[in-house]
Amino acid sequence: MGGVGRTRHRGSGPGDGGHGHTGPGIPAAQNDEAALHRLRAVSVSHRRAQRLANARLSVSLLLAAAGLAAVLAPGLAVPVTVLGGVWAVAHSLGLTAWESGEARRAALLQELFDVRLFRLEWNTVLVGAAPAPQEVSGLARRFRDREDDLRDYYEIPELPAPYDVLACQQQNLGWGARVRRRYARTVLTALLVWLGAGLVVGLALRMNVLDLMMLWYVPSLGAVLTGLDVVRTQKDVVAERERVSALLAARIAESGDPAVLTAFARQVQDVIFQSRLRHTRVPDWFFRRFKAADRADFQAAADELWRTVRRAAVRPG
């Protein structure tokens, strides 16, 4: 999400005025100082989790490259193989848990931003305690990026509650699923290319199976484990988001009692939070690479939702 250039539609709809909610709608409220303060903390926390993920991947790729060097310089074979094995063990025993801890804090802060913006109750049973104000403030003060990147986080038109919340969740589920599926495919392709390259090199140099394993695949084991973890978790998240997105679209089409829709939105938010815990979100550079095209597609989806709400407003009975 995020970005500017959103088309805003203003007009009557079922329950215009927010169904008891007062204050500005989501398009305006997400840009007030309190919301931006939380988003600054979210951005800093996500950046920390991504740095851990990137560091883990960088070391894994470095060892994989060292394995290639060992093929050409046999004297490096033993130390590279030992380091590759040690790194694979470290990856399995603790590094993933460390990254998951940082990802959990980022997910909690993101949940705080969403829940306050959507005027939903905090689900203490599922999520635990909300981040303390001093923690949010401490992270927000470390924000050094462009403030414009935080504005208009959700690109939705003006809608009456609870359709504005459902629109944000629909965008979150759909956009997130698309980006994660694309990232998983990219990582899987890279893994297959690397594993295939090992076979090509082994055949070209007439290496036996043991030498190929020790010189090529053991040093790259950490990178392979990292890649497989990314592919598995991202695919799981995509499947869950797409399942709930279909349910959400059906509920929107049916319209119905605003109180029931708000309760449903609370359930959807729980799924979104759980999916954020599964893996650090995709790198920012990867998200930005396709952002313009994705924005256009999901802007069309938001406009269609606005038309659906308008039709419900004039439906007889």
Side-chain angles (χ1 to χ4, degrees):
M1 278 68 64
V4 293
R6 176 179 62 242
T7 301
R8 295 188 178 180
H9 305 283
R10 300 184 181 273
S12 61
D16 251 352
H19 294 301
H21 290 160
T22 60
I26 287 176
Q30 66 183 341
N31 292 325
D32 68 23
E33 179 54 33
L36 292 175
H37 179 71
R38 297 184 190 107
L39 270 182
R40 294 185 195 105
V42 170
S43 178
V44 171
S45 187
H46 273 303
R47 186 65 55 86
R48 287 182 176 181
Q50 286 180 340
R51 283 173 179 166
L52 272 178
N54 292 340
R56 183 161 60 99
L57 180 60
S58 297
V59 172
S60 298
L61 292 177
L62 182 62
L63 285 171
L68 176 59
V71 173
L72 304 176
L76 298 175
V78 173
V80 168
T81 301
V82 171
L83 286 174
V86 170
W87 180 247
V89 172
H91 172 277
S92 300
L93 294 181
L95 291 176
T96 301
W98 186 12
E99 181 187 330
S100 296
E102 288 295 335
R104 175 175 175 79
R105 181 167 68 166
L108 282 169
L109 290 163
Q110 183 83 52
E111 180 75 357
L112 181 65
F113 169 75
D114 281 348
V115 166
R116 296 291 185 267
L117 182 64
F118 300 161
R119 301 183 179 95
L120 298 174
E121 292 187 8
W122 183 267
N123 188 347
T124 306
V125 175
L126 175 68
V127 180
Q134 60 269 26
E135 180 182 7
V136 177
S137 177
L139 288 168
R141 284 189 291 102
R142 290 172 172 81
F143 180 78
R144 298 291 183 271
D145 295 331
R146 295 173 61 247
E147 191 86 4
D148 289 345
D149 291 339
L150 303 180
R151 296 185 177 278
D152 296 318
Y153 185 82
Y154 288 110
E155 302 187 23
I156 65 165
E158 291 282 359
L159 290 166
Y163 291 98
D164 53 353
V165 175
L166 296 175
C168 293
Q169 293 177 329
Q170 183 182 56
Q171 186 176 98
N172 197 318
L173 291 167
W175 203 332
R178 173 184 290 194
V179 172
R180 288 171 182 269
R181 183 192 300 106
R182 183 187 292 135
Y183 187 56
R185 287 175 177 172
T186 300
V187 172
L188 180 59
T189 299
L191 280 176
L192 293 175
V193 168
W194 178 257
L195 295 175
L199 292 176
V200 171
V201 170
L203 290 173
L205 298 180
R206 299 178 182 274
M207 299 170 64
N208 59 47
V209 174
L210 181 59
D211 287 342
L212 179 61
M213 292 295 296
M214 298 302 291
L215 295 176
W216 188 278
Y217 291 120
V218 171
S220 63
L221 188 56
V224 172
L225 289 174
T226 299
L228 290 176
D229 183 57
V230 168
V231 173
R232 176 183 58 81
T233 55
Q234 297 291 13
K235 284 189 173 183
D236 287 346
V237 169
V238 167
E240 185 71 356
R241 283 179 172 243
E242 289 182 337
R243 180 185 69 83
V244 177
S245 184
L247 293 174
L248 179 58
R251 283 296 187 96
I252 290 173
E254 292 171 2
S255 187
D257 182 4
V260 174
L261 289 175
T262 298
F264 178 71
R266 176 60 269 180
Q267 296 174 352
V268 171
Q269 191 63 34
D270 290 340
V271 174
I272 291 174
F273 171 75
Q274 289 178 310
S275 73
R276 286 169 174 159
L277 291 178
R278 304 279 280 278
H279 201 277
T280 306
R281 66 183 184 183
V282 304
D284 286 340
W285 64 265
F286 189 87
F287 173 77
R288 292 192 180 103
R289 169 66 178 79
F290 305 95
K291 184 177 179 179
D294 289 344
R295 178 197 285 126
D297 292 341
F298 286 100
Q299 180 64 61
D303 291 343
E304 178 58 29
L305 173 57
W306 180 80
R307 288 189 288 270
T308 298
V309 175
R310 292 284 292 174
R311 286 193 296 269
V314 299
R315 188 178 298 159

